[in-house]
Amino acid sequence: NAPFDVVALREEFPVLSREVHGKPLVYLDNAATSQTPRQVIEVFGDYYSRYNANIHRGLHTLADEATAAFEGARHRVKAFLNAEDARQVIFTRGTTEAINLVAQSWGRSQLAAGDEVLISMLEHHSNIVPWQLLAAERGFTIKVIPVDSQGALDMTAYRALLSERTKLVAVNHVSNALGTINPVKEMATLAHQYGALILIDGAQAAPHLKVDVQAIDADFYAFSGHKVYGPTGVGVLYGKKSLLDAMPPWQGGGEMIKTVSFDLGTTYAEIPHKFEAGTPAIAEVIALGRAIEWMESVGVGAIGAWEGVLLDHATQAVSQIEGLRILGTAPHKAGVLSFVVEGAHSQDIGLLIDQLGVAIRTGHHCAQPLLHHFGVDATCRASFAAYNTLEEVDSFIEALQRVIGMVR
Ligand code: PMP
């Protein structure tokens, strides 16, 4: 039984009623981007038809209204993450930019030769490449926490990798390629025992789990708007206040300064503005606030529980398919079913199943080192959201069986 009314909930998502190749759309690519409910879409029309104005520096009504809505979204994100203070919420373009912010600001000023940054085998490229770019410049070493055969992090190896040299642990909360939920609270405790910080890439956790940055004791936490039923072009970096206060700006421009002078140099604004140079994605931020409001109205716990039902159902069904191998069988998973099929290229499956109206993702999922570790170049990935139904899972399985029959 659905813990909430999924049929009614689907009505709120206009795109879900469309057809693809003459078939009802079955959208199972939610880990890449989730769909948006009407109340999020409406923010754009409303903003641009009623109060489009640049924020913070205006003294007119439209600017005041836009600023209030923008800062209101910041307060919503603060509550969503259980942050101590709304000033710890920095708006970015997404998870990628949030991680790059930490690398370029905190990392560039704090990391040097002899230091170590621990990342994991499960990371998305966006939590690998920013560290590689910086390591080439600063000379620190990147070490990789391995995974076991189920795709869970090897915690014994993690403990062994930690040392006085470790300055940062940068890991995802949930793997986008396998769905593994990582024990980030325990990892934070261990990192802190060595005086290291922990940055958590929450891009795949925020859509499915109740995130509490204080309970986790995260130093940095990042997520993207477009994976939590919000728009593209916006994301969040949460940081501990003492860290953010001490970090240098990374992009210069308007909004992030206190005073600018050719003679006296420039002084910077307080957080969060210090890290928000230039005009932000105002409508997108407001829409992100609305998306979070939508998620909370449904209940983040209820969403995660329903997706668990869908994932279990899908896992059981695909397990019956001969020659199909699931990648990622850790006991704690969220939202993602990744698999390969003997004798069938993932790319072919993806293209053919689209002809039957089913959207899944195929490829390396921006996690090439992980896939390489499992000896594959690509997988098929079905990923779930609040609005998916058991009937859709059945349609997906039926379509998958047909496609496998065609290509084998
Ligand atoms: N980390 C993870 C785990 C992700 O799944 C993604 C998006 N696929 C990202 C980071 C990057 O997010 P974005 O492209 O929104 O910046």
Side-chain angles (χ1 to χ4, degrees):
N1 272 352
F4 53 87
D5 188 351
V6 67
V7 176
L9 188 146
R10 288 177 69 80
E11 298 287 313
E12 300 177 56
F13 290 78
V15 76
L16 296 179
S17 57
R18 72 164 280 182
E19 294 193 338
V20 169
H21 303 299
K23 307 277 190 318
L25 168 69
V26 174
Y27 187 78
L28 298 177
D29 191 19
N30 297 287
T33 284
S34 52
Q35 299 300 341
T36 39
R38 200 168 276 112
Q39 68 189 71
V40 172
I41 299 168
E42 281 170 357
V43 167
F44 290 88
D46 189 39
Y47 173 78
Y48 286 108
S49 28
R50 291 203 315 111
Y51 63 105
N52 176 23
N54 213 326
I55 54 168
H56 294 141
R57 51 201 154 190
L59 283 174
H60 57 80
T61 302
L62 267 60
D64 281 348
E65 289 178 10
T67 304
F70 184 90
E71 291 303 327
R74 201 188 303 276
H75 279 88
R76 221 169 237 296
V77 174
K78 172 212 172 258
F80 182 64
L81 295 176
N82 192 31
E84 299 88 333
D85 186 326
R87 290 173 296 178
Q88 294 169 272
V89 172
I90 295 158
F91 289 116
T92 64
R93 280 197 298 124
T95 304
T96 303
E97 192 176 69
I99 296 170
N100 278 275
L101 191 168
V102 176
Q104 294 301 319
S105 168
W106 178 85
R108 176 174 279 146
S109 59
Q110 297 296 321
L111 298 171
D115 293 337
E116 292 179 0
V117 169
L118 300 189
I119 61 175
S120 91
M121 185 63 91
L122 290 173
E123 295 321 303
H124 186 279
H125 295 164
S126 66
N127 199 23
I128 301 174
V129 185
W131 305 112
Q132 289 177 327
L133 287 169
L134 192 66
E137 185 186 317
R138 303 291 306 158
F140 61 86
T141 305
I142 297 170
K143 295 214 160 159
V144 181
I145 309 161
V147 291
D148 65 17
S149 59
Q150 295 186 308
L153 287 184
D154 179 342
M155 290 296 281
T156 308
Y158 172 53
R159 282 192 180 80
L161 283 167
L162 282 166
S163 77
E164 304 301 330
R165 289 185 298 279
T166 315
K167 293 294 178 294
L168 177 74
V169 176
V171 289
N172 60 41
H173 194 166
V174 172
S175 155
N176 66 304
L178 306 183
T180 314
I181 302 176
N182 293 316
V184 287
K185 184 174 156 65
E186 189 187 344
M187 294 181 82
T189 305
L190 288 164
H192 292 151
Q193 284 170 7
Y194 288 87
L197 303 183
I198 188 161
L199 174 153
I200 300 165
D201 165 358
Q204 297 294 341
H208 311 296
L209 315 173
K210 178 74 197 108
V211 174
D212 183 333
V213 289
Q214 293 190 69
I216 296 168
D217 202 13
D219 296 296
F220 299 108
Y221 197 98
F223 74 94
S224 296
H226 67 101
K227 297 186 201 275
V228 292
Y229 309 94
T232 55
V234 62
V236 167
L237 174 69
Y238 157 88
K240 281 192 182 154
K241 189 169 179 301
S242 57
L243 292 167
L244 295 174
D245 281 338
M247 280 157 54
W250 77 308
Q251 291 180 337
E255 293 286 337
M256 52 75 73
I257 55 92
K258 216 177 259 162
T259 59
V260 177
S261 154
F262 287 130
D263 302 324
L264 305 171
T266 291
T267 56
Y268 304 115
E270 303 293 324
I271 59 164
H273 308 297
K274 180 170 72 174
F275 295 112
E276 293 178 354
T279 302
I282 301 169
E284 285 79 357
V285 164
I286 298 167
L288 170 59
R290 194 66 66 81
I292 288 173
E293 188 180 321
W294 180 85
M295 277 185 80
E296 288 175 337
S297 74
V298 179
V300 179
I303 291 173
W306 175 238
E307 291 163 343
V309 172
L310 298 169
L311 179 63
D312 286 348
H313 183 61
T315 303
Q316 285 209 352
V318 298
S319 302
Q320 311 301 316
I321 298 177
E322 206 197 300
L324 185 145
R325 170 182 162 217
I326 297 174
L327 279 82
T329 49
H332 300 292
K333 281 183 61 171
V336 166
L337 179 64
S338 217
F339 59 88
V340 289
V341 181
E342 213 176 83
H345 286 296
S346 297
Q347 227 67 12
D348 294 341
I349 294 178
L351 282 170
L352 289 168
I353 208 165
D354 174 64
Q355 296 294 317
L356 304 175
V358 181
I360 60 169
R361 184 141 298 237
T362 55
H364 55 61
H365 317 299
C366 298
Q368 282 183 337
L370 177 70
L371 265 64
H372 185 246
H373 171 78
F374 279 99
V376 297
D377 303 328
T379 77
C380 298
R381 181 186 72 183
S383 54
F384 306 101
Y387 41 70
N388 289 128
T389 64
L390 289 166
E391 291 74 22
E392 283 184 309
V393 174
D394 290 336
S395 304
F396 155 61
I397 302 294
E398 221 182 282
L400 180 63
Q401 279 168 325
R402 262 184 74 186
V403 164
I404 292 172
M406 282 154 73
V407 295
R408 260 197 186 145

